[in-house]
Each structure stands twice: as C-alpha cells, then as structure tokens.
Amino acid sequence: MDGREVFKPLVELTAEERRQVITLPPTVAKLTAVRHLVLYGSNLVRIPPEIGAMESLEEFTPYTSHRLHWLPYELTRCPKLVRSTVSSRALYGNSKYRPHFPSLAPRTPDAARHDPERLDPNIWGAEAVRSCSICARHVELADLWQVWISLPVATDVLPLLVNACSRTCVDALPAPAREHVATVHRGGPTVVQPAAEW
C-alpha cells in the first residue's frame, strides 16, 4: 500500500460511515509495513483471518470496539506483535463476566454444498474460509474443524476462532491460557469456565 507504519482506517470516515463498517477487507494482508493498527471505537464485529499476514504489526488497538467479541487465530501469526489494547470485558470468556462462547456449526458432510468464498459469517465467523489457521494449507469445508481457544496474544488473553484442516492440526494447538477454558472447545452454554472474578 502506501508504506505508512500507523494505520487508522476509520478516522477519516463520518460517524455514520464508521457505523457501517463491521469488518475489514481481506486486503489487510497487503499492509505489511504497518506497525500499529488503530481501530479505536469501531463498530467491528469481526476481523478477517488475513490479518495474520501483517508481518510488521507490533501494536493492535481495537479498544472500545465493544461489538468485537473474538479474533481469528491467525492473529498469532504476526511475529512482532507485542502490545494490544482490547476492551477485554466485551470478549467471550473474559475473566470478569465469563460470557458464553457461541456454539460453532456442527461438522457435517453437508458443509461441502456451501461456497467457501461466500459464507454466512454469522455461522462460519468469516465471509470465506480458504486455509487452515494452523498450517496454512488449503481447507475444504467438508473437512473443516472449527474450535475456540483462549490464548495470550500480545498483552491480552484473547478468544480465538480456529479454522483447522484436520484433527491433527487441532491437536497441535498450544495449551489454552491459565484461568480460562482449559481445552479447545466448540462453544455453547455447557462449556465449563472458571468462576468470574467478581
């Protein structure tokens, strides 16, 4: 893109325009020079997995983005990411309130009938699922393993959505953060969480 190191994509929009932006485009993958991504006060409900290609990203600031409840596992691919400022009380499984993680769609052979480039993000968490969150190989929807995991990323523990190509990749995930759900899981009200801090 234009080589800027601090990227604030919403500051030049009107309040009405900002309200309409609920995700970023997959082209965030091209922002390889950006060191600080500022999404302060956004109306975002999801971040595309392509954020993992932002190889220079050191600081991630979606603070007061109260509709942003989870992030893609691909955020862990940003090798220089060391600082984050997230409204943690809005996150699934946060230590203050322990809100439930939504149930993920069950694995069924019917998944193959969906177009992987035109998915319902309310069901799949993204508008497209192209590759495995863990090994980056191409993934077919019929083989997709979706799980939640809470991990320390930069300076916060974040609930991450994993799109894996196999059980082997799911088994390769690191141990979840202490004082959060102790295993990877598929969400829903039956998932046992530690007691809230309040």
Side-chain angles (χ1 to χ4, degrees):
M1 305 297 252
D2 62 9
R4 75 182 86 179
E5 294 188 355
V6 177
F7 186 47
K8 301 178 180 181
L10 304 175
V11 296
E12 296 174 9
L13 303 179
T14 66
E16 178 58 30
E17 290 170 331
R18 281 195 302 276
R19 279 193 291 277
Q20 294 175 31
V21 178
I22 61 168
T23 189
L24 298 177
T27 52
V28 297
K30 297 179 180 179
L31 302 175
T32 56
V34 171
R35 295 172 56 188
H36 187 187
L37 178 58
V38 181
L39 302 168
Y40 188 89
S42 79
N43 200 36
L44 294 171
V45 297
R46 63 185 173 277
I47 301 286
E50 288 81 4
I51 193 172
M54 295 180 69
E55 59 191 34
S56 299
L57 189 64
E58 297 174 5
E59 187 167 0
F60 178 56
T61 309
Y63 192 59
T64 69
S65 296
H66 297 295
R67 295 183 68 202
L68 193 59
H69 304 305
W70 59 274
L71 292 140
Y73 182 83
E74 286 80 354
L75 190 61
T76 65
R77 291 189 190 164
C78 298
K80 298 181 179 179
L81 184 58
V82 293
R83 287 181 305 282
S84 56
T85 308
V86 177
S87 294
S88 57
R89 292 180 188 194
L91 300 177
Y92 295 140
N94 75 73
S95 61
K96 297 293 184 190
Y97 303 116
R98 300 294 185 197
H100 296 300
F101 289 77
S103 298
L104 296 171
R107 294 186 72 240
T108 67
D110 291 345
R113 68 182 170 81
H114 296 280
D115 180 350
E117 296 292 325
R118 301 183 75 196
L119 298 175
D120 181 347
N122 295 315
I123 296 171
W124 301 93
E127 295 170 357
V129 174
R130 299 177 182 94
S131 60
C132 177
S133 299
I134 300 147
C135 71
R137 285 189 298 239
H138 175 74
V139 61
E140 297 288 341
L141 288 183
D143 300 325
L144 181 66
W145 291 71
Q146 285 191 307
V147 294
W148 294 110
I149 188 170
S150 296
L151 291 175
V153 179
T155 47
D156 293 285
V157 173
L158 303 177
L160 304 172
L161 178 61
V162 177
N163 290 312
C165 66
S166 66
R167 180 67 201 212
T168 301
C169 277
V170 171
D171 290 343
L173 286 165
R178 293 182 60 204
E179 300 178 6
H180 287 75
V181 180
T183 61
V184 300
H185 58 93
R186 297 191 44 76
T190 61
V191 172
V192 177
Q193 298 193 57
E197 290 182 356
W198 300 90

